[in-house]
Structures are given as structure tokens and as C-alpha cells.
């Protein structure tokens, strides 16, 4: 923002942007705390405080960026980590957090039973701070920080400390996570950022942007992710993607000289591009989910510590992170909006 444009012309910072908290009062999400963050650039997004501070509705000017499921936001369901129950609480949105100890399908082994993508997304946050921008004092940054505890008595105690921040005048969302083992025994750890993009950003011809080696998920029918096919261009709604049909690839992204990976989506008709940027050493795996069902039209870009193969397979492959008591892992994800301008 150009200082001179609004200097001496505003009475309240909210005219430019900021953070507004509220509580949903209707439908399946009744009683759920949320925070709207407005960057003043046309980029505004909804943080669902009671769902691990995931990000739901996201807009740039008149354009929606995120895919929202039929259920939308539902109240947190702490016991939804069994079998496929997670799908009943999957509201879509720009970001759904998966983990903190399991990402992948339901499974059971000698270490316990785990449902789809773990339990963290169904745990409310304890808000630690909300910092508003103060442009008159030259402070353009804003942030909301919360603590989400995934724990049980006499068992694992993992804690996620999440800060979501933005800057007035910039079309960027920053997510910084600290995962801490607060328990007295080693704890299995897996984390995946399930970023879900929908119409109108996702449309016929939208480019899916990533560079790296790839392989289709095991058991994938390979109708899209196969050699010689253009799987980096979004398709029209498909009859054979009805129900749970989908295509998934696991990608080993190339990184730049500073160790950062970038992937994204570009809709030339709208003149919009979304970039996801993260550190390779923190999130070495990218999953590309393509589900072009009629009425369920979505593309997922999902950076993670592991692909969504489940704790059991990651353990067998010697790829499962074990956090010792007191150990902390840090993760940073940046989501940036670019336009033709």
C-alpha cells in the first residue's frame, strides 16, 4: 500500500483490512469460532479456529480460490479419527491439516488403529495472540497464533503451535507451524498440508505447475497420470470421477539454490496464479490430487513430510519421523496470489 494514498483519510484501520473474529450461528458448524483475515488487496480468507486453525473460504476480489465440500464447515469431532469418519468432517477449504501422527487411509497394526489423515483437524485451538496491523505507526503485519493439542492421558502428547500471518497491501498468506513432543516417550510424526483449489481458479485448461520426478499412487488406474498424457492441465468434469474415483501422483519436487520448492496453479482466463512455497528439507514430498467429479471438482496440492501412505508403510520404509520428548519440528508454507499486473 502507498502510504500517501490513505494518510489522514481513515478513522479506523478496518477500512484497509485486518483480522475480525466471530462465531458461526447456523448449520453444522454452529458455535464454531472463525477469524476473517483481510489483506486489503482483494485477498481475504477464513481461519477456522475450532478446526486446528485450518483455512476455509478464500477469495481474491470476486474469485473464489478454494474448493468447499458439500458439508462445508462442521463443528470439531474429536472422535472422528476412526476408519473413514474423517470424510464426514472434511469441509474442503484452502488448507486442511493432516496428521500429526498419521496421513493416509485407515489402518490398524500393533501400534494402534488410525483413521484417514489423523485427528489434528478436528481439534480446536487455544488462541495465544491476535496482532492487528497499525498502518499509522508503520506496522503493516497482522497475525493470529494458537495452540492445538493432540494428546491422550498416559499416551502421546503432540502440540501444534500455529501462526497465520499476512501483511496489509500484499497478497500472501504465511503459515508457520511448530510441532512439539510434550510427552515423555517418543512420538510418531507425519504432517501434510491438504490444499484444495476449486472453481473458478480450477477450470478447464487451468495449468498445474510443478517440476520434479513423479510416480502414480499405488493402485492408481493411471488414466491421467501416465507417460505421454498432459496431466498438468485441468480437465472438464468426468463421468469416471463420480463418487470416490480420483487420480493421485507423488512428486519429488525440484528445489532452488536456497532449498525452496514452488508449485502452483495458473488460470490465464482470469489472469490469476497461486504459488505454494516451502522448504524441501521440511516438506520433501508433494502429492497432486485430481478429482474432476461432477459437482465435486477439485485439485489438491499437498506438501508433506511424507506422501499419504500411512504410518505403517512409512515405518516399514524407515521413513517415519520419531520425535523424542521435547523435540520440535518447524514448518513454513507461503501461499501467494499473482496477477497479470
Amino acid at each position: 500500500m502507498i502510504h500517501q494514498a490513505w494518510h489522514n483519510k481513515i478513522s479506523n484501520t478496518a477500512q484497509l483490512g485486518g483480522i475480525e473474529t466471530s462465531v458461526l450461528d447456523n448449520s453444522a458448524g454452529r458455535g464454531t469460532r472463525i477469524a476473517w483475515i483481510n489483506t486489503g488487496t482483494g485477498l481475504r480468507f477464513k481461519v477456522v479456529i475450532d478446526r486446528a486453525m485450518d483455512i476455509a473460504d478464500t477469495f481474491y476480489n470476486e474469485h473464489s480460490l478454494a474448493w468447499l465440500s458439500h458439508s462445508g464447515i462442521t463443528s470439531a469431532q474429536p472422535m472422528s479419527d476412526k476408519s473413514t469418519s474423517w470424510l464426514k468432517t472434511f469441509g474442503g477449504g484452502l488448507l486442511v491439516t493432516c496428521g500429526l501422527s498419521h496421513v493416509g487411509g485407515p489402518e490398524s497394526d500393533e501400534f494402534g488403529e488410525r483413521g484417514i489423515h489423523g485427528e489434528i483437524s478436528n481439534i480446536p485451538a487455544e488462541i495465544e495472540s491476535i496482532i492487528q496491523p497499525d498502518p499509522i505507526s508503520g506496522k503493516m503485519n497482522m497475525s493470529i497464533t494458537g495452540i492445538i493439542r493432540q494428546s491422550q492421558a498416559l499416551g502421546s502428547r503432540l502440540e501444534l503451535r500455529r501462526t497465520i500471518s499476512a501483511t496489509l497491501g500484499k497478497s500472501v498468506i504465511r503459515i508457520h507451524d511448530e510441532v512439539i513432543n510434550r510427552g515423555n516417550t517418543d512420538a510418531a510424526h507425519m504432517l501434510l498440508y491438504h490444499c484444495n483449489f476449486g472453481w473458478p481458479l480450477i477450470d478447464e485448461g487451468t495449468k498445474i505447475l510443478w517440476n520434479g520426478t513423479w510416480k502414480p499412487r499405488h493402485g492408481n488406474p493411471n488414466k491421467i497420470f501416465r507417460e505421454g498424457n498432459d496431466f498438468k492441465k485441468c480437465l472438464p468434469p468426468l463421468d469416471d470421477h463420480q463418487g470416490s474415483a480420483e487420480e493421485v501422483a507423488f512428486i519429488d519436487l525440484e528445489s532452488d539454490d536456497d532449498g525452496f520448492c514452488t508449485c502452483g496453479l495458473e488460470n490465464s482466463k482470469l489472469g490469476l496464479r497461486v504459488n505454494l512455497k516451502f522448504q524441501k528439507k521440511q516438506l520433501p514430498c508433494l502429492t497432486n490430487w485430481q478429482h474432476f467429479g461432477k459437482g465435486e471438482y477439485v485439485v489438491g496440492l499437498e506438501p508433506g513430510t511424507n506422501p499419504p501412505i500411512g504410518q505403517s508403510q512409512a515405518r516399514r520404509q524407515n521413513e517415519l519421523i520419531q520425535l523424542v520428548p521435547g523435540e520440535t519440528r518447524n514448518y513454513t508454507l507461503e501461499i501467494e496470489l499473482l496477477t497479470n499486473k
Side-chain angles (χ1 to χ4, degrees):
M1 275 189 195
I2 301 172
H3 178 71
Q4 291 80 3
W6 49 263
H7 187 55
N8 290 333
K9 298 175 184 176
I10 63 170
S11 304
N12 190 314
T13 299
Q15 285 183 239
L16 301 181
I19 301 174
E20 179 184 23
T21 58
S22 61
V23 178
L24 300 179
D25 70 351
N26 202 1
S27 194
R30 183 177 182 181
T32 299
R33 295 173 299 159
I34 63 170
W36 272 106
I37 299 181
N38 180 6
T39 66
T41 64
L43 175 64
R44 59 201 187 278
F45 55 97
K46 182 193 292 179
V47 176
V48 189
I49 297 169
D50 283 340
R51 296 294 302 269
M53 294 175 62
D54 286 343
I55 300 174
D57 318 38
T58 304
F59 297 90
Y60 184 78
N61 293 335
E62 73 272 31
H63 302 303
S64 176
L65 304 178
W67 169 75
L68 304 178
S69 78
H70 182 261
S71 64
I73 296 173
T74 62
S75 300
Q77 303 293 324
M79 303 305 293
S80 67
D81 61 331
K82 307 296 182 185
S83 186
T84 60
S85 296
W86 182 88
L87 291 173
K88 296 179 180 180
T89 74
F90 180 36
L94 188 73
L95 168 65
V96 174
T97 313
C98 302
L100 295 171
S101 55
H102 169 74
V103 296
E107 62 181 24
S108 180
D109 57 23
E110 65 270 28
F111 297 96
E113 179 183 352
R114 295 169 290 277
I116 292 178
H117 289 329
E119 59 186 299
I120 190 64
S121 182
N122 272 285
I123 302 176
E126 175 187 326
I127 294 302
E128 186 178 82
S129 68
I130 296 177
I131 299 174
Q132 296 283 7
D134 184 4
I136 295 174
S137 299
K139 299 174 182 178
M140 307 298 281
N141 291 336
M142 64 190 103
S143 66
I144 180 169
T145 298
I147 296 174
I148 305 102
R149 297 179 177 90
Q150 178 184 301
S151 64
Q152 67 179 57
L154 310 180
S156 175
R157 291 176 56 198
L158 289 175
E159 180 178 289
L160 170 63
R161 184 178 186 271
R162 168 165 288 178
T163 297
I164 298 176
S165 61
T167 302
L168 281 179
K170 294 185 178 180
S171 299
V172 181
I173 303 169
R174 297 182 297 272
I175 300 142
H176 178 73
D177 287 344
E178 301 174 23
V179 177
I180 309 166
N181 181 2
R182 296 291 192 187
N184 56 18
T185 60
D186 291 358
H189 171 49
M190 302 176 79
L191 178 66
L192 181 139
Y193 295 89
H194 207 300
C195 299
N196 311 285
F197 300 93
W199 188 89
L201 176 65
I202 301 302
D203 205 351
E204 297 174 36
T206 295
K207 295 178 183 178
I208 304 170
L209 308 169
W210 50 261
N211 289 319
T213 59
W214 62 278
K215 60 181 179 181
R217 184 179 60 183
H218 177 69
N220 194 299
N222 303 336
K223 294 179 180 178
I224 292 178
F225 288 107
R226 54 182 173 81
E227 293 292 348
N229 189 51
D230 186 1
F231 45 74
K232 291 186 179 182
K233 185 176 291 185
C234 294
L235 300 172
L238 302 176
D239 288 333
D240 59 4
H241 272 200
Q242 306 295 74
S244 61
E246 59 187 15
E247 303 289 335
V248 177
F250 299 154
I251 301 147
D252 182 9
L253 279 184
E254 297 175 2
S255 60
D256 64 20
D257 292 340
D258 295 320
F260 285 94
C261 296
T262 302
C263 61
L265 298 150
E266 182 178 305
N267 185 318
S268 58
K269 290 184 292 185
L270 300 181
L272 286 181
R273 175 169 171 166
V274 178
N275 278 354
L276 277 66
K277 183 179 179 181
F278 48 92
Q279 292 186 45
K280 177 86 169 184
K281 66 180 180 180
Q282 294 178 350
L283 301 167
C285 307
L286 177 71
T287 299
N288 183 195
W289 172 46
Q290 299 186 17
H291 179 79
F292 298 120
K294 294 180 177 179
E296 288 189 310
Y297 189 75
V298 53
V299 169
L301 292 173
E302 307 168 19
T305 59
N306 307 81
I309 57 176
Q311 191 184 114
S312 293
Q313 185 175 337
R315 183 179 283 107
R316 289 195 302 270
Q317 296 175 183
N318 199 31
E319 296 172 351
L320 181 62
I321 297 169
Q322 293 284 348
L323 299 180
V324 301
E327 184 177 358
T328 300
R329 290 281 180 120
N330 288 278
Y331 304 96
T332 301
L333 176 66
E334 184 177 280
I335 303 173
E336 181 178 17
L337 256 292
L338 303 173
T339 68
N340 285 345
K341 295 180 181 179

